[in-house]
Amino acid sequence: VLLGITVRDAMATTNLRNNQKWQLVQYPKGNFEATRDAKLVEETIDLEKINFDNNPDDELSLEPDMVVIAVDALSIDAFVRTMMDEGAFHGSIKPGSTIPAIGYGTVLKAGPLSKLKKGSKVSGLMSASSIAFVKSSTVQATAQFPYMKPSLSLGYMGVSGLTAYVGMFVSPREYPQQGETVVVSAAAGAVGSIACQMAKLCGSKVIGIAGGSKKKDFLMNELGLDGAVDYKDKDKSIGEQLDELCPDGIDFFFDNVGGPTLDAVLEKINLNSRIVVCGAISQYSDGTINKKGAVVGPSNYVKLAEKSSSMSGFVLTDYMKGKYLVQAISYLLWHYYRGNIQPHEHVEDGIEYFAPSLEKMFSGSEHCGRLVIDVSGSLKPEG
C-alpha cells in the first residue's frame, strides 16, 4: 500500500518510511487469537506529504494537535485486550483500526498545536506500529534519567512502577507493615514483580502467586520472596498451598488476577486485612470483563465483614497528578539507584511479535517482568 505516492515517486524521494502496523480484524470471540483477530499491515509513508490542515479529503492531512512518531519500543499490556470488545471501559477499538499500545519514540513531525517539536523523545499511548499518528495529548516528553535504559519508561518508571506504588501505598487504608503477611497475584508479571519488592522493603513476609516452575523459581531466587504458589500445580490447589505458606493468615493482598484466586485468599484473611484490586486478568482474556453479569465475583466477600477488613480498587490515571505522582517518582528513583528494587524485562525483537505476544500473555507465557517489543532495534546489545 502506498499512501499519497506513486511507485516512481517512491524510488525518487528520500522521505519515505516503511510502516508496519497491527490492525484489529474482528472483535475476538472468546480468547484473543493473533492470527484470527489481527493482521500485520505494511505501508509506505512519504513524510514530506504529511500536513496538519485537517483536510478530510487528504488521508495524509492530520489534525493540528497531532504528532507523527517513529516508535522505538512498545509494551504488552493486559488492558489492550479489554479494548477489543464493544462498550469497553478503556474505550473500544473498531475492527480495521490500529491496535493501541504504550510505547516511546521520537517525533518525526508535529502539528502547530501539539506543543511538541521534531526530534522530541516522547512516551505514552501510541499504537502497535513502527510509525504512530496520535493526538499530542496522549504522549508526553520522556524524562531522561542517568544510568537507566529508556525501556524502563514503559515499565518501572511508567505504568508498572506507578501502578505498584499506588496499589501498595495510596489505595489501601494502610500499607503493608513489618511482620505482616503479604500475598501478590500475577507476582512474576510487570506490576506484580515490583509490588513484591515494595512489600519486602516494608519488612513484610511476601508470598507470590504465579504459574509454572520457571516463574516460581523467579519469585524465589530472583525476587527473594518468602514463598511461592504455583497455580498450575496439579497436586495442590491455591488454597492448600496458601495454608502451608501462610499458617498465620494473610494481612494484605495485592490482586492482579481476580476470580478463584481472589476467593482463595479471602478465605484466609486476618482481622483488619486489606485487599487491593489492581486488575482482574482472569476476566480479560475471553472478554468477560465487558459482559454485564458475566464477571466472576468473589463468593467469599462476606469474609471482609467477618474480619473487619477492607477491599479497595483504583484507576491509575486518577492519581497521576499532584503529590501522588511526585511521591511515586521519588520513591521509584530512590530505590532503583540504591539497588533495592530490580526491574525485570523480557524483550521480543520486532513489531511482528506484538500480537502473538499479547496472545501469549493470556495463555501462560513463561516471560517474567515487563514484556517489551523492540520495534526499532534500539534495545539490542551493542557489539
Side-chain angles (χ1 to χ4, degrees):
V1 179
L2 297 177
L3 298 184
I5 59 175
T6 65
V7 175
R8 182 175 296 177
D9 289 335
M11 299 298 292
T13 182
T14 59
N15 289 290
L16 296 180
R17 290 296 182 105
N18 181 61
N19 183 34
Q20 291 179 295
K21 60 184 181 181
W22 280 99
Q23 290 182 336
L24 184 68
V25 172
Q26 62 179 9
Y27 292 124
K29 296 177 175 63
N31 294 336
F32 171 73
E33 295 181 16
T35 55
R36 180 194 67 188
D37 302 322
K39 65 177 179 180
L40 185 62
V41 176
E42 197 162 336
E43 61 188 13
T44 302
I45 297 171
D46 188 349
L47 294 179
E48 192 69 29
K49 294 187 178 182
I50 293 175
N51 63 78
F52 299 92
D53 299 332
N54 197 21
N55 181 356
D57 297 323
D58 181 358
E59 60 184 346
L60 292 177
S61 185
L62 309 178
E63 295 177 37
D65 62 343
M66 293 185 71
V67 290
V68 182
I69 301 168
V71 179
D72 283 324
L74 299 167
S75 67
I76 301 295
D77 294 279
F79 80 86
V80 172
R81 171 60 186 90
T82 72
M83 299 177 72
M84 294 180 178
D85 299 304
E86 293 184 89
F89 173 76
H90 292 290
S92 296
I93 314 166
K94 293 182 179 180
S97 300
T98 305
I99 298 172
I102 293 175
Y104 69 86
T106 305
V107 174
L108 295 174
K109 297 193 78 170
L113 302 182
S114 69
K115 298 181 180 180
L116 291 169
K117 297 180 180 179
K118 179 180 178 180
S120 298
K121 303 293 184 181
V122 294
S123 59
L125 187 61
M126 300 181 183
S127 58
S129 56
S130 47
I131 297 178
F133 301 81
V134 299
K135 290 272 193 180
S136 59
S137 58
T138 70
V139 297
Q140 56 281 321
T142 302
Q144 302 290 314
F145 298 109
Y147 309 108
M148 186 179 290
K149 55 186 178 180
S151 58
L152 291 186
S153 66
L154 298 177
Y156 183 73
M157 293 305 299
V159 172
S160 304
L162 297 172
T163 299
Y165 179 87
V166 172
M168 276 288 168
F169 301 110
V170 182
S171 177
R173 66 185 183 190
E174 184 179 46
Y175 62 83
Q177 302 296 301
Q178 185 166 353
E180 287 190 323
T181 297
V182 174
V183 175
V184 179
S185 61
V191 175
S193 60
I194 298 173
C196 284
Q197 295 178 76
M198 289 177 172
K200 287 294 292 182
L201 289 171
C202 292
S204 303
K205 172 184 176 181
V206 183
I207 307 299
I209 302 176
S213 58
K214 180 178 178 180
K215 290 187 177 181
K216 188 172 182 178
D217 180 73
F218 170 76
L219 297 180
M220 297 300 295
N221 298 316
E222 291 291 329
L223 300 188
L225 302 192
D226 299 286
V229 171
D230 181 0
Y231 71 80
K232 293 183 178 180
D233 192 301
K234 296 181 180 180
D235 299 318
K236 296 180 181 179
S237 67
I238 294 175
E240 290 171 333
Q241 293 177 72
L242 287 173
D243 283 339
E244 295 177 0
L245 296 170
C246 310
D248 298 321
I250 297 168
D251 302 294
F252 192 105
F253 181 40
F254 190 105
D255 188 24
N256 296 296
V257 175
T261 300
L262 175 55
D263 258 336
V265 171
L266 283 171
E267 192 65 44
K268 303 172 196 322
I269 59 174
N270 289 329
L271 193 67
N272 297 319
S273 65
R274 290 85 68 206
I275 313 293
V276 177
V277 179
C278 174
I281 196 171
S282 67
Q283 311 296 298
Y284 296 170
S285 60
D286 62 356
T288 296
I289 193 71
N290 293 315
K291 299 173 184 175
K292 286 186 177 181
V295 174
V296 179
S299 59
N300 287 331
Y301 75 93
V302 176
K303 287 291 180 181
L304 295 168
E306 293 175 356
K307 297 294 184 178
S308 295
S309 297
S310 63
M311 180 183 291
S312 62
F314 66 96
V315 176
L316 180 62
T317 51
D318 291 340
Y319 296 90
M320 288 300 95
K321 55 186 176 181
K323 66 176 183 179
Y324 295 124
L325 179 59
V326 173
Q327 290 170 355
I329 293 296
S330 299
Y331 177 96
L332 292 167
L333 288 174
W334 176 274
H335 288 293
Y336 176 80
Y337 285 122
R338 283 156 183 78
N340 298 330
I341 297 180
Q342 298 291 331
H344 295 269
E345 293 179 339
H346 177 89
V347 178
E348 293 286 356
D349 193 14
I351 186 66
E352 62 269 22
Y353 288 101
F354 180 88
S357 295
L358 182 62
E359 178 183 337
K360 288 179 181 178
M361 171 177 274
F362 297 101
S363 59
S365 170
E366 291 191 344
H367 82 275
C368 296
R370 166 60 62 189
L371 182 52
V372 176
I373 305 299
D374 184 3
V375 177
S376 67
S378 60
L379 297 180
K380 291 180 180 178
E382 293 184 4

